[in-house]
Amino acid sequence: MFSKKEYKKRLNKTKQSMMQYGIEVLVVSNPSNMCYLTGYNAWSFYVHQVVVVFIDEKEPLWIGRGMDSRGAEQTTWMHPQNVMNYPDEYVQSTIKHPMDYVAEVLLEKGKGERKIGVEMDAFYYTAKCHERMLYELPEAELKDASGIVNWVRLIKSKKEISYMRNAAYIVEQAMSAAYEKIEVGTRENDVAAAIYSAQMHGNDDFGGDYPSMAPMIPTGEQTASPHLTWSDRRYEEGDIVTIEIAGCYRRYNVPMARTMSLGKAEPKVLEIGKVIMEGINETLNYIQPGFTAAEINNVWAGTIAKYGYEKEARIGYSIGLSYPPDWGEHTISLRQHDNSILEPNMVFHLMPGMWFENFGVSITEPFVVTETGVEMLTSFNRKIYEKEVD
């Protein structure tokens, strides 16, 4: 997907961060970070696998299940001898654990007494993983390195941003498919099927990848909870629907949310929609490189406060390359007290949804930070869509 030169640049930046944190060996288990550093791309993260970066070696190691090693050879930029695999007897065993094998490799390479960073807050680095590493490497100093590669990923290359533009096109097509499919009498799961079809199809020039999260399309009072998916319930006249989905191209996710109503929306829903859209406009017009995440949040908060509203949750986060179960990068959040500074070529999902006791309104926008402001990745109408009912 990317040139060897770009992968080496990423690796060198990661090593710089390792030096700052006093880490000599970095064990990466987050599949997004594994892919970012090596190109490895497979649905194999349900078993334990890692990429190991050594501060004093040119190439990392990929270590995973035996049957996945051929995929690693085909998708990564490293030499085949740096693709290592454990036998299947380690898979879901009560006797052996894949991290035992990883530790053995480190010991054989003379790394057993070094400062070793592990991603303790990664979804796929379990308590058992850490227990086995502590047991097998008693002379090593294990350090939490959860965000090291995530922060390296923040500033995107031109090619990464081009991938995200493709993903943005896909999410717009998927949202259009949802708008078209949702009708009185249609089942929620059939709408999900239409969304998935558009997400995978893309267009004649490029196809889509599976997004890191399932379509979240709650209906009626369920819109008060943003992360519900769907059932086989049939839509009824008067239903409000929030739709949060993503387009994905070569693992780069671009999410977007919109709200629609089957028939005329209730005045309170339209009022919240107008407040959110004003907040979005004011916030996007304010953003420039050099501002902090907290300053951006304050613009949003000040805008909606004029109408008597407040929102405790964050209003956005960085996005990019990702695998399930999340399309966020787990770095900068647009919220109070986050003093991270925005820089050009960072990409964010501005998601100032508002949820109440029995309904919610979601209208969100993905954007790239530029030298002078923002580049909008989508141009999909933000207005609450009131679909005519026959």
Side-chain angles (χ1 to χ4, degrees):
M1 294 194 297
F2 297 93
S3 67
K4 193 172 182 178
K5 181 179 179 181
E6 182 156 344
Y7 282 117
K8 287 190 173 182
K9 183 178 180 180
R10 297 173 179 182
L11 185 64
N12 288 334
K13 285 186 175 180
T14 300
K15 289 181 178 181
Q16 288 174 359
S17 293
M18 289 168 62
M19 286 190 289
Q20 292 174 358
Y21 285 90
I23 291 172
E24 299 168 295
V25 179
L26 177 63
V27 180
V28 178
S29 54
N30 181 335
S32 304
N33 293 338
M34 292 176 64
C35 181
Y36 181 78
L37 292 175
T38 70
Y40 180 65
N41 182 22
W43 191 285
S44 58
F45 42 85
Y46 66 96
V47 295
H48 296 295
Q49 54 187 17
V50 299
V51 164
V52 185
V53 178
F54 303 100
I55 198 74
D56 51 0
E57 295 189 19
K58 290 183 177 181
E59 291 191 6
L61 293 180
W62 178 95
I63 305 175
R65 190 180 185 182
M67 67 174 63
D68 295 316
S69 61
R70 186 65 65 190
E73 292 175 4
Q74 293 171 345
T75 59
T76 67
W77 60 271
M78 298 110 67
H79 290 93
Q81 64 264 29
N82 288 325
V83 173
M84 306 183 68
N85 63 84
Y86 55 81
D88 224 56
E89 63 191 28
Y90 283 82
V91 177
Q92 297 174 7
S93 168
T94 58
I95 301 172
K96 297 183 176 182
H97 192 277
M99 299 310 287
D100 296 342
Y101 185 89
V102 172
E104 289 171 12
V105 171
L106 295 179
L107 288 169
E108 289 174 3
K109 291 180 67 65
K111 313 295 184 181
E113 298 181 2
R114 305 197 79 173
K115 295 178 175 65
I116 301 175
V118 294
E119 295 179 313
M120 292 182 67
D121 203 28
F123 292 117
Y124 299 99
Y125 186 77
T126 65
K128 177 62 74 173
C129 287
H130 198 61
E131 180 188 66
R132 298 313 302 168
M133 289 287 281
L134 287 170
Y135 180 80
E136 298 289 348
L137 298 168
E139 303 301 321
E141 180 183 346
L142 296 188
K143 306 182 72 171
D144 185 10
S146 297
I148 282 184
V149 183
N150 301 62
W151 284 92
V152 171
R153 288 163 44 196
L154 255 177
I155 298 177
K156 310 296 186 294
S157 67
K158 289 182 178 179
K159 191 168 186 179
E160 286 181 292
I161 291 174
S162 73
Y163 283 2
M164 297 191 79
R165 292 191 184 110
N166 286 354
Y169 169 88
I170 292 171
V171 76
E172 290 189 308
Q173 298 306 302
M175 189 65 72
S176 294
Y179 273 17
E180 182 177 348
K181 188 67 176 180
I182 294 175
E183 300 274 5
V184 172
T186 300
R187 298 182 302 173
E188 292 177 358
N189 57 291
D190 290 325
V191 173
I195 291 169
Y196 272 120
S197 178
Q199 287 172 328
M200 300 309 115
H201 174 72
N203 62 22
D204 291 339
D205 294 323
F206 56 85
D209 205 347
Y210 60 90
S212 293
M213 296 178 74
M216 291 168 282
I217 50 175
T219 304
E221 290 191 356
Q222 289 192 340
T223 59
S225 180
H227 297 139
L228 300 179
T229 54
W230 62 85
S231 70
D232 59 0
R233 173 189 178 275
R234 296 185 184 274
Y235 291 101
E236 300 175 0
E237 184 174 354
D239 276 345
I240 183 174
V241 186
T242 57
I243 307 160
E244 185 175 6
I245 55 179
C248 185
Y249 179 73
R250 298 195 177 184
R251 298 300 340 130
Y252 283 81
N253 287 252
V254 172
M256 181 177 72
R258 291 293 184 269
T259 299
M260 69 174 292
S261 176
L262 280 168
K264 185 68 176 174
E266 294 185 16
K268 61 182 179 181
V269 173
L270 296 175
E271 176 192 347
I272 296 299
K274 290 178 181 178
V275 172
I276 291 175
M277 286 188 283
E278 182 175 338
I280 288 174
N281 289 334
E282 293 295 323
T283 303
L284 291 172
N285 289 335
Y286 175 83
I287 294 172
Q288 289 187 8
F291 290 158
T292 66
E295 289 173 326
I296 293 163
N297 177 80
N298 291 342
V299 173
W300 156 263
T303 303
I304 67 170
K306 294 186 301 183
Y307 301 96
Y309 295 104
E310 62 178 339
K311 175 184 166 84
E312 293 184 3
R314 64 182 181 173
I315 63 162
Y317 47 82
S318 64
I319 54 173
L321 185 157
S322 191
Y323 285 79
D326 184 17
W327 55 47
E329 286 186 317
H330 297 199
T331 50
I332 297 177
S333 288
L334 305 179
R335 62 182 171 198
Q336 289 184 0
H337 313 304
D338 189 331
N339 293 315
S340 304
I341 296 174
L342 272 64
E343 298 181 44
N345 297 328
M346 292 180 177
V347 187
F348 290 88
H349 183 207
L350 179 66
M351 40 77 67
M354 296 179 69
W355 300 279
F356 302 90
E357 185 175 346
N358 59 359
F359 79 100
V361 177
S362 291
I363 304 169
T364 77
E365 287 292 353
F367 67 88
V368 182
V369 180
T370 68
E371 296 288 345
T372 58
V374 300
E375 172 195 339
M376 303 307 303
L377 286 172
T378 60
S379 58
F380 202 91
N381 194 324
R382 295 176 193 151
K383 186 177 179 181
I384 293 176
Y385 176 41
E386 298 175 286
K387 190 168 189 177
E388 291 186 7
V389 176
D390 294 334

